[in-house]
């Protein structure tokens, strides 16, 4: 055995193994056991899940939110990364400002958003003070679910775009300047340099950012719950609801596994369709 | 086997712990450290000085207390001679014949709220003497009184007069919306709010006389029609609120319903602006949820004279007010309100007493459903969502959901709580 000859490497990674077993492995096994335990047999919870209209609503809401925020975050994150990467005077200050939401939990960010979009919030105060509206508007509440939806989208974009930004900025800084200088010699336009050099080189970073953000978007919960409760139910929110309000850990686990399943499928699709070509992995041109 | 041994050891230890002194008092209340410290550090020494009795206090869970009292009676050696618990706990013990009939114990110098005296009886005995209560109320911003509907006065609302009804609330809400342009009635409708308690324990009894037995009755359909109309004047942001103090303080609502503990901040912040008032009455009565705590004596308990002295002390207006200040439980004797110092606590206690002593008062107790409590709450929330918000046909929805309630109670084998239980008495 390798560890008998030299136990140091084993000892070094044993805390990680213990951590993974304790905090990931055992809960995962328990989740499987709970999800496949019901009076109707092992598939009872899943049958109840897919037969209930609520599951399909939560799946649809989660997919729609993910489908809107992830592309927007990618575009916005890329634009900000390109902007900051110009390294103009004071760019570090701008970088820090953009990165501030990284330090916020989703609940903190949601509460800050509530102080803006609430009935007595800053946005209403500004709109009333400037005379654009006579009375404050409702942006959140049971009768304005369409507005609440966009408040959730705006909050989530503000909260999570910095993660995409940081990943893409790191990717941009890895672009070999010699390629750009060569492109200048060949008379490439700015657009051509962007599409033919920067984007291909950035593709692995973009895939990492997309993957991370999509997986996190499928777990969206805090922002939706703080701002709109179950008005727009999402999958992770329903798992929480079953666990804490209905005291049904079996159904909560079934929801959890469904989130994991959808996440795995999406990750696989990303890996298949966005796999970097060989020259992109090397960070160079063909 | 290990569990049985553990219980015996525990019971033995408990007997050992409280087997001295003239009053051995076990209670399912006053468990938290701060409450226990107040009870043992302040109340009990004062009682010893004033009443000359030695008292030993031991807070236990319901299961432990029940085991203890049953074990003592089975062994023929009863030591515990004072017991404090919720109404539901007393009811279960009385059903097992474990309690002494308290009907001969009177305290002529105080007026217990008659509603609570009524619910202290059951299974052929007076199970306990009412001790403390916690409940839900409405809080009104003083500005709202400018919009009272014709024929309804501020005093009617504050004193729970027969004119203070759900119809009056609707008329009032309409007036406010017409006057201000805003819906100013509010409820904590979010998942973490107690909105389901309003549905099953307040408006359902007020319209139908019960919490669940008349879930799909014609009276229930009237209630849903009423609620649908009321919600045209209810602040829609309520779906994001879990407690009503903040919306009151932000001036987003003028009439709010919630648990007293969740309204306290607003009332303490500005007691002149925020006025606690009783719930309105419906066609079947003034329905509201109460958590009722009582004091009882186990059957065959020794030194009953000392137990009665202790009950006399603990239910005195002075002590009830001390408990209100520190723990937040409200008094159950009418004389207590008169001696509360002016301020937020007095206004809260006045509203609580006015509500519970109203002639049409209709108490609802939260059913003890354990882990299925969430399913029970969910039935009412689902009905509300589908009928009031989604505008589905109420008759079809209640018919569809009623079997779920029956299934929950059958599954848990839970006793039907008041006021529904009254139909079987």
């Amino acid at each position: 055995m390798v560890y008998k000859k030299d136990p140091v490497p084993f000892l070094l990674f044993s805390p990680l193994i213990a951590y993974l077993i304790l905090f990931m492995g055992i809960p995962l096994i328990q989740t499987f056991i709970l999800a496949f335990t019901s009076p109707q047999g092992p598939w009872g919870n899943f049958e109840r899940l897919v037969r209930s209209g609520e599951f399909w609503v939560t799946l649809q809401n989660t997919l729609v939110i993910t489908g809107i925020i992830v592309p927007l975050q990618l575009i916005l994150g890329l634009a900000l990364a390109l902007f900051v990467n110009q390294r103009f005077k004071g760019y570090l200050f701008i970088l820090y400002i953009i990165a501030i939401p990284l330090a916020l939990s989703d609940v903190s960010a949601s509460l800050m958003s509530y102080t803006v979009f609430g009935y007595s919030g800053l946005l209403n105060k500004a709109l009333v003070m400037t005379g654009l509206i006579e009375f404050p508007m409702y942006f959140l509440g049971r009768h304005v679910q369409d507005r609440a939806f966009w408040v959730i989208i705006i909050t989530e974009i503000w909260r999570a775009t910095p993660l995409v930004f940081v990943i893409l900025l790191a990717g941009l800084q890895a672009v070999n300047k010699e390629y750009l200088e060569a492109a200048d010699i060949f008379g490439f336009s700015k657009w051509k340099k962007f599409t033919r050099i920067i984007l291909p080189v950035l593709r692995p970073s973009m895939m990492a950012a997309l993957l991370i953000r999509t997986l996190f978007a499928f777990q969206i919960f805090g922002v939706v719950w703080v701002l709109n409760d179950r008005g727009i139910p999402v999958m992770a929110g329903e798992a929480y609801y079953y666990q804490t309000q209905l005291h049904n850990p079996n159904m909560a686990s079934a929801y959890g596994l469904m989130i994991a399943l959808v996440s795995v499928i999406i990750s696989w699709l990303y890996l298949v369709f966005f796999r970097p070509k060989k020259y992109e992995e090397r960070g160079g041109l063909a | 086997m290990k569990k049985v041994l553990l219980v015996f050891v525990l019971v033995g230890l408990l007997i050992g712990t409280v087997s001295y002194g003239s009053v051995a008092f076990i209670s399912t209340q006053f468990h938290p450290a701060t409450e226990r410290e107040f009870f043992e550090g302040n109340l009990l020494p004062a009682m010893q000085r004033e009443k000359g009795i030695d008292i030993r206090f031991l807070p236990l869970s319901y299961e432990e207390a029940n085991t203890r009292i049953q074990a003592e009676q089975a062994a023929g050696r009863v030591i515990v001679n004072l017991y404090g618990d919720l109404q539901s706990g007393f009811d279960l013990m009385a059903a097992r014949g474990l309690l002494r009939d308290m009907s001969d114990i009177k305290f002529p110098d105080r007026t217990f709220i008659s509603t609570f005296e009524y619910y202290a009886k059951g299974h052929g005995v007076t199970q306990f003497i009412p001790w403390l209560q916690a409940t839900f109320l409405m809080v009104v911003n003083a500005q709202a009184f400018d919009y009272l509907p014709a024929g309804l006065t501020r005093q009617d609302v504050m004193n729970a007069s027969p004119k203070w009804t759900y119809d009056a609330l609707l008329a009032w809400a309409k007036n406010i919306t017409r006057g201000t342009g805003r819906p100013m009635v509010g409820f904590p409708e979010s998942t973490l709010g107690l909105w389901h308690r309003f549905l099953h324990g307040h408006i359902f009894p007020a319209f139908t006389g019960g919490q669940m037995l008349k879930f799909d009755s014609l009276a229930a359909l009237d209630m849903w029609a009423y609620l649908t109309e009321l919600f045209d004047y209810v602040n829609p942001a309520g779906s994001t609120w879990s407690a009503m103090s903040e919306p009151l303080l932000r001036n987003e609502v003028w009439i709010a319903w919630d648990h007293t503990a969740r309204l306290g901040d607003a009332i303490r912040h500005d007691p002149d602006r925020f006025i606690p008032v009783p719930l309105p009455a419906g066609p079947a009565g003034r329905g509201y949820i109460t958590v009722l705590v009582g004091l009882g004596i186990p059957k065959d308990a020794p030194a009953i004279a000392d137990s009665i002295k202790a009950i006399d002390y603990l239910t005195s207006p002075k002590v009830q007010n001390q408990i209100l200040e520190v723990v937040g439980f409200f008094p159950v004797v009418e004389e207590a309100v008169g001696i509360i110092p002016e301020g937020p606590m007095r206004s809260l206690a006045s509203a609580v007493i006015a509500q519970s002593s109203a002639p049409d008062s209709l108490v609802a107790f939260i059913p003890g459903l354990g882990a299925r409590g969430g399913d029970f709450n969910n039935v009412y929330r689902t009905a509300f969502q589908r009928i009031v918000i989604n505008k589905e046909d109420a008759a079809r929805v209640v018919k569809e959901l009623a079997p779920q309630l029956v299934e929950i109670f059958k599954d848990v084998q839970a006793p039907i709580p008041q006021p529904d239980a009254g139909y079987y008495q």
Side-chain angles (χ1 to χ4, degrees), chain A residues 48 114 118-120 135 138 140-143 145 225-230 240-241 244-247, chain B residues 180 182-183 189-192 231 234-241 250 252 371 374-375 378 381 389:
Chain A
R48 183 178 161 191
Y114 195 87
Y119 185 80
S120 310
F135 295 107
Y138 288 100
L140 300 164
R142 81 178 89 77
H143 71 321
Q145 291 297 304
W225 265 65
V226 171
L227 292 173
N228 202 38
D229 201 62
R230 289 180 73 220
Y240 171 82
Y241 182 67
T244 63
Q245 302 299 309
L246 300 185
H247 310 293
Chain B
T180 63
R182 295 157 55 189
E189 298 165 48
S190 85
T191 305
L192 299 180
F231 261 68
V234 171
N235 193 314
S239 60
T240 65
W241 297 334
R250 288 197 303 261
E252 291 182 27
D375 291 324
N378 194 46
R381 281 182 173 269
I389 306 300

Side-chain angles (χ1 to χ4, degrees), chain B residues 25-104:
Chain B
F25 178 21
I26 62 175
S27 168
T28 61
Q29 305 302 304
F30 296 95
H31 277 225
T34 50
E35 293 180 9
R36 185 172 177 175
E37 190 185 330
F38 160 71
F39 205 78
E40 292 179 325
N42 295 61
L43 279 189
L44 297 188
M47 179 162 36
Q48 280 173 341
R49 283 195 303 274
E50 205 168 299
K51 295 286 180 183
I53 48 172
D54 185 21
I55 190 157
R56 292 289 176 269
F57 174 69
L58 188 67
L60 296 178
S61 71
Y62 175 76
E63 289 75 19
E64 290 166 340
N66 192 34
T67 306
R68 166 79 189 258
I69 288 171
Q70 281 200 68
E72 283 188 0
Q73 295 197 0
R77 183 169 174 257
V78 178
I79 294 163
V80 172
N81 52 1
L82 186 59
Y83 177 50
D85 197 0
L86 300 179
Q87 180 270 347
S88 56
F90 277 109
D91 200 49
L92 281 176
M93 284 209 182
R96 292 169 182 157
L98 299 173
L99 297 175
R100 180 190 184 278
D101 185 358
M102 307 282 282
S103 58
D104 59 330

Side-chain angles (χ1 to χ4, degrees), chain B residues 84-144:
Chain B
D85 197 0
L86 300 179
Q87 180 270 347
S88 56
F90 277 109
D91 200 49
L92 281 176
M93 284 209 182
R96 292 169 182 157
L98 299 173
L99 297 175
R100 180 190 184 278
D101 185 358
M102 307 282 282
S103 58
D104 59 330
I105 298 173
K106 306 285 180 203
F107 300 101
D109 61 335
R110 68 203 63 162
T111 316
F112 287 95
I113 292 165
S114 57
T115 312
F116 296 154
E117 285 190 313
Y118 172 77
Y119 289 117
K121 293 172 186 158
H123 304 288
V125 295
T126 297
Q127 300 165 1
F128 60 89
I129 303 294
W131 182 22
L132 304 163
Q133 61 165 323
T135 190
F136 296 76
L137 285 177
M138 281 186 156
V139 165
V140 176
N141 185 315
Q143 286 175 273

Side-chain angles (χ1 to χ4, degrees), chain B residues 13-341:
Chain B
L13 283 172
L14 296 177
I15 290 170
T17 313
V18 292
S19 60
Y20 54 90
S22 58
V23 174
F25 178 21
I26 62 175
S27 168
T28 61
Q29 305 302 304
F30 296 95
H31 277 225
T34 50
E35 293 180 9
R36 185 172 177 175
E37 190 185 330
F38 160 71
F39 205 78
E40 292 179 325
N42 295 61
L43 279 189
L44 297 188
M47 179 162 36
Q48 280 173 341
R49 283 195 303 274
E50 205 168 299
K51 295 286 180 183
I53 48 172
D54 185 21
I55 190 157
R56 292 289 176 269
F57 174 69
L58 188 67
L60 296 178
S61 71
Y62 175 76
E63 289 75 19
E64 290 166 340
N66 192 34
T67 306
R68 166 79 189 258
I69 288 171
Q70 281 200 68
E72 283 188 0
Q73 295 197 0
R77 183 169 174 257
V78 178
I79 294 163
V80 172
N81 52 1
L82 186 59
Y83 177 50
D85 197 0
L86 300 179
Q87 180 270 347
S88 56
F90 277 109
D91 200 49
L92 281 176
M93 284 209 182
R96 292 169 182 157
L98 299 173
L99 297 175
R100 180 190 184 278
D101 185 358
M102 307 282 282
S103 58
D104 59 330
I105 298 173
K106 306 285 180 203
F107 300 101
D109 61 335
R110 68 203 63 162
T111 316
F112 287 95
I113 292 165
S114 57
T115 312
F116 296 154
E117 285 190 313
Y118 172 77
Y119 289 117
K121 293 172 186 158
H123 304 288
V125 295
T126 297
Q127 300 165 1
F128 60 89
I129 303 294
W131 182 22
L132 304 163
Q133 61 165 323
T135 190
F136 296 76
L137 285 177
M138 281 186 156
V139 165
V140 176
N141 185 315
Q143 286 175 273
F145 288 117
D146 297 339
Y147 296 87
L148 280 169
L152 186 73
T153 66
R154 180 173 171 150
Q155 289 311 311
D156 285 333
V157 176
M158 292 179 67
N159 296 332
S161 94
K163 290 182 189 170
W164 176 220
T165 62
Y166 276 99
D167 284 336
L169 172 66
L170 178 61
W172 194 5
K174 283 181 184 174
N175 280 356
I176 294 172
T177 302
R178 283 187 198 123
T180 63
R182 295 157 55 189
M184 298 292 274
V185 177
F187 296 98
E189 298 165 48
S190 85
T191 305
L192 299 180
L194 296 170
W195 173 231
H196 46 276
R197 298 281 179 239
F198 178 79
L199 292 173
H200 76 76
H202 292 78
I203 198 165
F204 245 99
F207 275 75
T208 72
Q211 295 189 66
M212 70 287 291
L213 288 181
K214 296 195 173 179
F215 183 80
D216 53 355
S217 64
L218 288 174
L221 297 183
D222 289 342
M223 187 280 287
W224 287 117
Y226 169 84
L227 206 56
T228 304
E229 190 178 355
L230 179 70
F231 261 68
D232 288 339
Y233 310 97
V234 171
N235 193 314
S239 60
T240 65
W241 297 334
S242 56
M244 294 309 295
S245 269
E246 282 296 315
L248 280 164
L249 287 165
R250 288 197 303 261
N251 217 29
E252 291 182 27
V253 292
W254 280 357
I255 301 174
W257 167 93
D258 210 336
H259 190 278
T260 46
R262 295 178 176 209
L263 294 164
D265 280 351
I267 297 163
R268 274 189 289 274
H269 184 264
D270 195 344
D272 296 327
R273 185 168 147 222
F274 298 113
I275 320 294
V277 301
L279 265 289
R286 197 174 303 275
Y288 62 94
I289 288 176
T290 276
V291 176
L292 177 59
V293 185
L295 291 165
I297 299 174
K299 204 164 81 178
D300 303 326
I304 287 172
D306 288 334
S307 306
I308 294 170
K309 279 185 194 172
I311 295 172
D312 180 28
Y313 181 80
L314 291 171
T315 58
S316 66
K318 180 186 76 177
V319 172
Q320 298 230 315
N321 284 334
Q322 283 179 289
I323 294 173
L324 170 65
E325 285 292 335
V326 179
V327 184
F329 272 114
F330 289 91
V332 293
V333 293
E334 291 180 10
E335 289 79 3
V337 177
I339 60 168
I340 301 174

Side-chain angles (χ1 to χ4, degrees), chain A residues 177-190:
Chain A
K177 284 200 169 52
E178 288 176 12
Y179 300 148
L180 299 174
E181 287 164 9
D184 286 336
I185 292 167
F186 284 110
F188 276 31
S189 65
K190 278 188 177 177

